[in-house]
Amino acid sequence: MLVFSKTGGFRHDSIEKGTATIEALGKENNFEVEHTEDSTLFTSDYLNKFKAVVFLSTTGDILNDEQQKTFEQYIQHGGGFVGVHAAADTEYSWPWYNKLVGAWFLSHPKQQNATIDVLDKNHPSTQHLPDQWTRWDEWYNYKDINPETHVLMKLDESSYEGGENKGNHPIAWYHEFDGGRAFYTGLGHTKESYDEENFKKHLLGGIKYALGE
């Protein structure tokens, strides 16, 4: 699989740690990982080497029109997609991408502990989790939420300050979309996330879904 972490806006200092963690997960779980921030590689010849692509805290405008079309075709031919955290803070003028990733970033309060309600444990990203999972992160509020995704986890907005999704606050989801598979998690802002066993298993489960396992 390919990890893509180009940033056109804010750059998370957790990207390098996240990339190393995904590479380690690959070694432990028998999938190969390549990493790039070079969007000129988004050609059909290159992308077709991969079963899935991770957008790891990408931000802003990162693909030109031709690269966008190539990526759409990659998904339409059965490719997998994983969006991590700021993947939702990416490509605001590309409506197809909004549907794929499942929502766009709206705002976030200060980093703090919050409680996640785990709604569905029949997915590899959530089967190991407790019904309520409390952890520290930067919690995104979302806009333009795609109603056709299958929500796995929601934030309990009463458990922290600054939630703006009026109680209906998805934080991880998946769906089949336009011929491919997509998984998104809003978790993973902090470097420390990538040392957290529950988060690593959550991320691995999303990757396995995108890979078609």
Side-chain angles (χ1 to χ4, degrees):
M1 73 184 305
L2 177 66
V3 176
F4 183 57
S5 56
K6 182 177 177 179
T7 51
F10 180 82
R11 185 171 181 86
H12 285 73
D13 65 4
S14 58
I15 285 174
E16 286 70 26
K17 183 71 182 285
T19 300
T21 298
I22 294 170
E23 288 171 344
L25 289 172
K27 284 187 180 135
E28 293 160 13
N29 295 276
N30 298 315
F31 59 88
E32 292 180 41
V33 178
E34 280 189 33
H35 171 247
T36 190
E37 299 201 342
D38 182 1
S39 57
T40 66
L41 292 174
F42 271 59
T43 64
S44 54
D45 282 351
Y46 183 70
L47 290 181
N48 288 341
K49 292 173 20 182
F50 304 103
K51 287 178 88 172
V53 178
V54 182
F55 277 36
L56 178 61
S57 281
T58 52
T59 54
D61 188 4
I62 51 173
L63 299 177
N64 67 26
D65 290 351
E66 188 177 339
Q67 292 155 3
Q68 288 177 8
K69 189 174 180 192
T70 299
F71 190 60
E72 289 179 15
Q73 290 169 344
Y74 168 77
I75 296 294
Q76 288 159 358
H77 287 111
F81 171 82
V82 174
V84 179
H85 192 57
D89 186 24
T90 300
E91 291 289 356
Y92 290 96
S93 59
W94 185 11
W96 180 92
Y97 179 79
N98 170 246
K99 292 284 191 292
L100 173 76
V101 71
W104 272 323
F105 167 77
L106 175 64
S107 63
H108 66 77
K110 66 182 181 184
Q111 294 177 38
Q112 60 195 297
N113 271 320
T115 298
I116 300 164
D117 292 324
V118 181
L119 305 177
D120 181 355
K121 292 193 187 178
N122 296 313
H123 191 271
S125 68
T126 51
Q127 58 193 14
H128 64 289
L129 293 172
D131 292 345
Q132 273 82 41
W133 181 21
T134 300
R135 61 184 298 281
W136 179 280
D137 215 320
E138 180 182 82
W139 303 107
Y140 278 6
N141 298 304
Y142 296 100
K143 63 182 180 180
D144 298 315
I145 297 170
N146 182 348
E148 295 177 359
T149 66
H150 186 94
V151 177
L152 293 163
M153 310 194 307
K154 280 165 59 166
L155 284 179
D156 176 358
E157 289 195 340
S158 70
S159 70
Y160 73 105
E161 295 177 9
E164 294 180 7
N165 283 110
K166 300 181 174 61
N168 181 24
H169 196 139
I171 197 68
W173 53 79
Y174 74 96
H175 60 145
E176 292 187 7
F177 175 73
D178 204 16
R181 296 167 305 283
F183 168 85
Y184 171 83
T185 180
L187 285 53
H189 171 85
T190 67
K191 290 181 189 173
E192 292 76 15
S193 296
Y194 298 92
D195 289 323
E196 198 184 319
E197 284 306 314
N198 271 344
F199 174 71
K200 288 197 288 184
K201 287 180 183 174
H202 171 62
L203 181 58
L204 175 63
I207 287 169
K208 284 185 169 180
Y209 169 75
L211 289 171
E213 293 180 16

